[in-house]
Structure formats: C-alpha cells, structure tokens
Amino acid sequence: MRLAVCAEMVFTDLPFTERVRRIHEAGFDVELWDSRTKDIRALKATGAVFSSMTGYTAGSLVDPDSADEVVRTAESLIPTALELGVSRMVVHPAELIDGHAARPVYRSSGPMWITGARTLERLGRLGETYGVTFCLENLNTILDHPGIPLARAKDTLALVAAAGHPGVKLMLDLYHAQLGEGNLIELVRTALPHIGEIQVADVPGRCEPGTGEISYAAVARALAEAGYNGTVGMEAWASGNSDAALEAFRAAFTIPALRTGADA
C-alpha cells in the first residue's frame, strides 16, 4: 500500500507549498483539495507525488439541472491534474460550498440515482480520454455534511457500480463511513473491486489513527489480506504535532503492524 497525506490538514502553520515539501520529505504522497488556489508550478517543483485532488468545482452529480456543470468544471481541471501527475480526481454526490451542502436535500429519489450514475459514466469517459480516474467520495450526513443525498458508502458504491466504467472508482473515506455506517472491515472487503483510493481519520475528532475508536491496524490487516495494494490517504487533522501524526499514520499501515497485530 502507498501512503498519502492531505496537505490541507497538517502543518497548517506553514505556507501550502512548504506543507507539501514536508509531507514529501517524510516519504508520503500528497492529496490536494481545490487546486485553483495553489501555485501549481511551485508544487510541482517540490518533487512530490500527488495522489488525488478535487475534480470539480460546481454542480451536482445527482441534479439534472447542474450535472453538466460537474462535467464541464471537471474537464477544466484536467490540465492541472496532468501537470501535477495526479491520477485520481475526487467528486462528491452533490455540490459542496465550504464543506456544506450547496442545496440541502434530505430525501433521495429515483431520478437522483439515474442522474448520478449517468454523470459518473460521463466522467469515466472523460477521464479515459486523458488517463485519469474519477473517484466518488462517500460523506457522512450526521456531523460534517448534512443535506448531501446518496452520501453513504453503500450508496456511493452502488452509484459507482451502476456507472460501470473502469474510469470511475470509489474514494472510500473510512472516517465518514464509521460515523454513518460502521462495520468497516466488511465494508472494505465488499467495496474492494471498486476502490480507487482509501482515506482515513479517527473518530471522534477526525485526527490521525490512534486518537479515537477505530482499530486501523485491524483495518490495515484486512486490506492486506484482501490483496489491496492501492493508496491509503490520511485526510485528518493532527491532534498535536504534525510530524507525530504522520508517524502514527505510518505505524498503523506498516508491515510490522500487520504481522504482529499491534494496536488491534
């Protein structure tokens, strides 16, 4: 498994490019959110490997009136992804503004399912043209993202499967899944054929592994036993020192932890 760290959430006292450099020097790949606010040339000069970035800037996958905006803005971001070498572009079930639902919806409908699957298929074809994969991220509606329809992991998994395109995968966020559904080990086993990348943070607090209730060493063992060799990204705040948070994340997903059952 490759390990990545979200630069938006650690070393927050440093300029963004310096955060990326610190993560890279520590031996991790880097996740980004909105690339439009970043100095792309400076980020590229760090030599970092960029695992994923936000892959759209407007519109909702499940809304027939704004799904075209998702595809249009996704295409506008592809040049940045290619410049940075990003292989996975992240989308959400509906539009977020500053992390909140742009147009809260509390009940899903059949047309939402159909529109979501069709929009994902369109993104898959777009990504195939340029050699990138679009990953649909599950979210929790209990705490962080109320009003986002079809946000649970089982719903995003169903949408990805319905799209049926190899250029569409699941960004399986286990922090969100723990808050909304639990049963994480069975979830990763079920979702494995559709996973493009996995994101982790502990519950409660959304900090690094080892600060909450999730046994990430057990999750890591399950992933290894299932043959997962993709990327696991820490999309989490540092509970204290960022360097220590990165090392706690590394410890939860290293071979010694898998062999000995440490912290299970």
Side-chain angles (χ1 to χ4, degrees):
M1 287 177 275
R2 293 187 67 90
L3 301 182
V5 173
C6 178
E8 314 281 351
M9 302 178 76
V10 296
F11 301 114
T12 54
D13 57 328
L14 298 177
F16 194 81
T17 300
E18 184 58 27
R19 300 183 205 179
V20 169
R21 183 174 289 108
R22 292 283 292 273
I23 293 168
H24 171 56
E25 290 174 350
F28 298 92
D29 295 349
V30 178
E31 295 182 344
L32 304 175
W33 289 346
D34 190 348
S35 60
R36 297 173 299 169
T37 62
K38 311 298 192 297
D39 184 339
I40 302 304
R41 182 175 297 180
L43 294 183
K44 186 176 180 180
T46 65
V49 174
F50 293 94
S51 170
S52 63
M53 60 178 256
T54 300
Y56 75 119
T57 59
S60 169
L61 276 170
V62 300
D63 179 4
D65 294 329
S66 65
D68 286 348
E69 276 295 281
V70 176
V71 179
R72 183 190 67 79
T73 60
E75 187 166 16
S76 75
L77 293 172
I78 284 177
T80 297
L82 297 179
E83 184 174 358
L84 290 176
V86 173
S87 58
R88 287 175 290 276
M89 300 179 69
V90 181
V91 296
H92 302 109
E95 185 176 3
L96 298 176
I97 297 178
D98 296 328
H100 301 289
R103 291 170 292 278
V105 176
Y106 297 97
R107 181 175 295 178
S108 60
S109 66
M112 287 181 180
W113 281 99
I114 294 169
T115 302
R118 287 176 176 171
T119 308
L120 284 172
E121 185 180 6
R122 292 171 64 191
L123 289 173
R125 293 197 301 267
L126 177 65
E128 187 176 31
T129 300
Y130 294 98
V132 298
T133 299
F134 283 91
C135 292
L136 178 63
E137 181 181 2
N138 61 295
L139 303 170
N140 81 80
T141 59
I142 294 173
L143 179 63
D144 297 291
H145 305 290
I148 298 294
L150 303 179
R152 294 174 298 178
K154 68 176 184 179
D155 295 331
T156 54
L157 176 58
L159 282 170
V160 168
H165 194 286
V168 175
K169 296 289 185 181
L170 183 65
M171 174 64 83
L172 182 58
D173 189 306
L174 297 184
Y175 161 79
H176 291 308
Q178 176 69 2
L179 280 171
E181 295 153 272
N183 199 19
L184 298 186
I185 288 177
E186 186 59 32
L187 174 61
V188 296
R189 288 172 176 161
T190 301
L192 191 66
H194 300 285
I195 294 174
E197 187 169 333
I198 293 171
Q199 291 180 326
V200 302
D202 222 327
V203 176
R206 202 174 186 178
C207 292
E208 72 272 11
T211 56
E213 67 191 21
I214 302 175
S215 176
Y216 271 118
V219 172
R221 284 199 305 276
L223 286 169
E225 290 165 0
Y228 181 72
N229 58 3
T231 297
V232 177
M234 187 181 83
E235 191 183 44
W237 305 108
S239 62
N241 178 275
S242 290
D243 288 305
L246 266 59
E247 289 311 309
F249 169 49
R250 195 197 314 269
F253 285 90
T254 53
I255 296 299
L258 302 184
R259 287 177 177 168
T260 63
D263 301 324

